[in-house]
Amino acid sequence: MMMKSLILLIVILIALIEAQPIPYPKVSDSFLGANDTGVSLFPSYLGLKIHIRCYANVTSANRKGPIALFDSGLPFFSTAWVSVIPSVLENMPAWNISKACFIDRYGYGWSDSSKYPITTQDYVMRLRGSLQVAGLTGKYVLVGWSWGSIFVQTYSLTYPKDVVGIMTVDGTDSKWGFISSNQQAVITYTDIIRGYISLNNVGSLESLARADEISHAFGWFPSALVSTGFTECSIDATQDIFLNNKFLKAAIQEYNIMVVSSVMLNFTYALKGTTLKDLPYVNLFASHDQDWTNRQTYMASLSSNSMTLPVVPIDHFVPLTNPDVIISGLAALSNKISTNPAKIWGR
Ligand SMILES: *[C@@H]1O[C@H](CO)[C@@H](O)[C@H](O)[C@H]1NC(C)=O
Ligand SMILES: *[C@@H]1O[C@H](CO)[C@@H](O)[C@H](O)[C@H]1NC(C)=O
Ligand SMILES: *[C@@H]1O[C@H](CO)[C@@H](O)[C@H](O)[C@H]1NC(C)=O
Ligand SMILES: *[C@@H]1O[C@H](CO)[C@@H](O)[C@H](O)[C@H]1NC(C)=O
């Protein structure tokens, strides 16, 4: 009898230990570390709070400049840009950018989770409301890496008057959702993340992840990212967030809006019979294969005022592996906006 209840007690204790979630990191300790001048805003709009972290370095040169909004690849969030924040801060007066703000889409980072998947089209409408609640109004420069490129295009087409320039970084294009291997990939990725949630629920995801046995393609930050300009605190925070089911569930929701959001963007272009007109556009892309290159070239051609820049060495995880090319792209974009701003776009 004694023995049985002792065993039961031990089983309960183990279950309790395993059920302990990884503590959620404090936002202020999750980016640049000591003396971080970033400000986190949490505007609430249509029942959900979104986290937007903004950096400013204001001089007379950029006081009136547009706000740069950065949207990450999937399943990444604001911390993916830590490698570029110091250079962005240094250059924003020269670039005429008044604020640089890094967004956590719903469910990621410090943003609320949604009960249902939110398409990019819905997200764009919610983000605009959230920006107004946060007082982040004015003109925008939109920067999107990978999946964030669908956001950049959708936002621009929905609110053209607000957008003065865009940059896509090895960005997803509006034909992406029509390709059957991509449709299959989201099913595969969803299954993989479901597997991670199951492992997490029995307490065995953490050891796998800490041994760097999970690909960074799924949002895990390997410790080696310190070598590309990530702070230890940002790596720790991103790892801790990865190990929360909140993050993993957000990733599943997002994989499942990829095809529909991309296809709706395609229809938006087709239905409105429209393009990005003469919107200043810098397209950074890596030549993975001929099909990707063709689609990037096509995406760039949607604006008559675009340029492409190569990502070398070839790698899709640009903020993680090649922050310098993002800084070069931003310099090129700011030059374009000041020397050749849109004349018909947004009118
Ligand atoms: C942070 O600021 C304090 C006071 O200005 C300074 O002494 C310290 O060296 C700074 N730390 C870092 C890491 O920059
Ligand atoms: C900065 O951008 C703002 C808003 O687009 C513009 O009014 C202003 O003239 C620009 N400043 C410079 C120095 O280019
Ligand atoms: C702010 O911009 C100036 C250039 O105008 C630069 O010298 C300075 O280093 C920047 N501050 C930070 C924190 O990067
Ligand atoms: C929309 O998709 C169709 C089918 O793949 C393609 O022919 C067309 O070029 C696409 N348009 C855009 C703007 O992506």
Side-chain angles (χ1 to χ4, degrees):
M1 216 31 204
M2 273 296 279
M3 197 59 187
K4 258 192 182 163
S5 33
L6 191 63
I7 289 170
L8 189 66
L9 186 68
I10 290 170
V11 167
I12 290 171
L13 279 177
I14 289 173
L16 279 177
I17 291 165
E18 289 190 342
Q20 276 310 306
I22 301 273
Y24 221 77
K26 261 175 52 192
V27 69
S28 55
D29 299 336
S30 302
F31 290 81
L32 301 184
N35 302 340
D36 188 333
T37 57
V39 174
S40 279
L41 302 166
F42 299 90
S44 182
Y45 185 70
L46 299 181
L48 292 175
K49 281 204 286 291
I50 195 163
H51 171 236
I52 306 173
R53 188 162 178 91
C54 294
Y55 288 81
N57 179 4
V58 182
T59 70
S60 56
N62 64 334
R63 205 160 24 94
K64 294 187 174 143
I67 297 171
L69 298 177
F70 291 74
D71 203 58
S72 307
L74 192 171
F76 294 83
F77 50 98
S78 52
T79 56
W81 302 99
V82 162
S83 59
V84 301
I85 296 173
S87 303
V88 168
L89 264 171
E90 198 180 321
N91 289 295
M92 57 201 290
W95 293 342
N96 192 23
I97 294 290
S98 60
K99 274 196 177 85
C101 299
F102 304 87
I103 306 168
D104 290 341
R105 293 189 301 271
Y106 295 109
Y108 294 120
W110 293 267
S111 287
D112 281 353
S113 301
S114 164
K115 287 198 172 67
Y116 54 87
I118 291 189
T119 62
T120 304
Q121 286 70 19
D122 189 7
Y123 165 61
V124 153
M125 178 273 294
R126 287 171 170 273
L127 180 66
R128 183 161 194 271
S130 304
L131 290 167
Q132 301 203 317
V133 170
L136 295 169
T137 52
K139 303 289 184 193
Y140 304 113
V141 167
L142 304 180
V143 181
W145 160 46
S146 189
W147 180 248
S149 163
I150 298 288
F151 155 75
V152 162
Q153 296 169 80
T154 304
Y155 198 101
S156 300
L157 294 172
T158 313
Y159 305 113
K161 283 186 167 52
D162 297 352
V163 182
V164 295
I166 62 171
M167 181 162 101
T168 60
V169 183
D170 221 25
T172 310
D173 67 290
S174 46
K175 296 182 182 186
W176 186 93
F178 291 92
I179 298 168
S180 61
S181 58
N182 293 335
Q183 297 171 357
Q184 183 53 51
V186 298
I187 297 170
T188 308
Y189 294 162
T190 299
D191 287 344
I192 291 172
I193 302 282
R194 280 218 182 92
Y196 290 162
I197 291 176
S198 303
L199 289 176
N200 214 17
N201 289 342
V202 295
S204 46
L205 181 64
E206 183 172 1
S207 52
L208 198 70
R210 300 235 182 262
D212 280 344
E213 286 185 26
I214 289 179
S215 165
H216 60 277
F218 296 107
W220 174 255
F221 265 25
S223 307
L225 284 182
V226 282
S227 65
T228 43
F230 284 84
T231 55
E232 305 255 6
C233 62
S234 68
I235 297 171
D236 289 347
T238 309
Q239 292 180 342
D240 288 352
I241 287 173
F242 179 96
L243 292 167
N244 272 272
N245 284 352
K246 174 177 181 265
F247 166 88
L248 296 167
K249 286 176 180 163
I252 290 184
Q253 285 187 334
E254 278 220 306
Y255 287 134
N256 288 282
I257 54 89
M258 289 183 84
V259 168
V260 65
S261 299
S262 157
V263 168
M264 278 202 275
L265 173 59
N266 174 289
F267 290 162
T268 305
Y269 279 121
L271 276 176
K272 292 194 176 168
T274 194
T275 62
L276 298 169
K277 297 184 179 161
D278 61 347
L279 176 64
Y281 174 17
V282 171
N283 173 314
L284 300 178
F285 76 92
S287 307
H288 301 284
D289 57 49
Q290 195 56 49
D291 183 48
W292 182 258
T293 298
N294 291 348
R295 285 188 283 128
Q296 292 295 323
T297 312
Y298 174 72
M299 185 158 63
S301 78
L302 292 169
S303 163
S304 62
N305 191 8
S306 68
M307 64 184 281
T308 60
L309 284 174
V311 173
V312 191
I314 293 168
D315 186 81
H316 181 62
F317 298 89
V318 192
L320 274 47
T321 52
N322 201 346
D324 291 352
V325 77
I326 296 175
I327 299 304
S328 308
L330 288 168
L333 180 59
S334 87
N335 184 47
K336 214 177 222 323
I337 294 168
S338 70
T339 59
N340 193 15
K343 292 180 188 67
I344 48 173
W345 172 261
R347 300 215 182 265

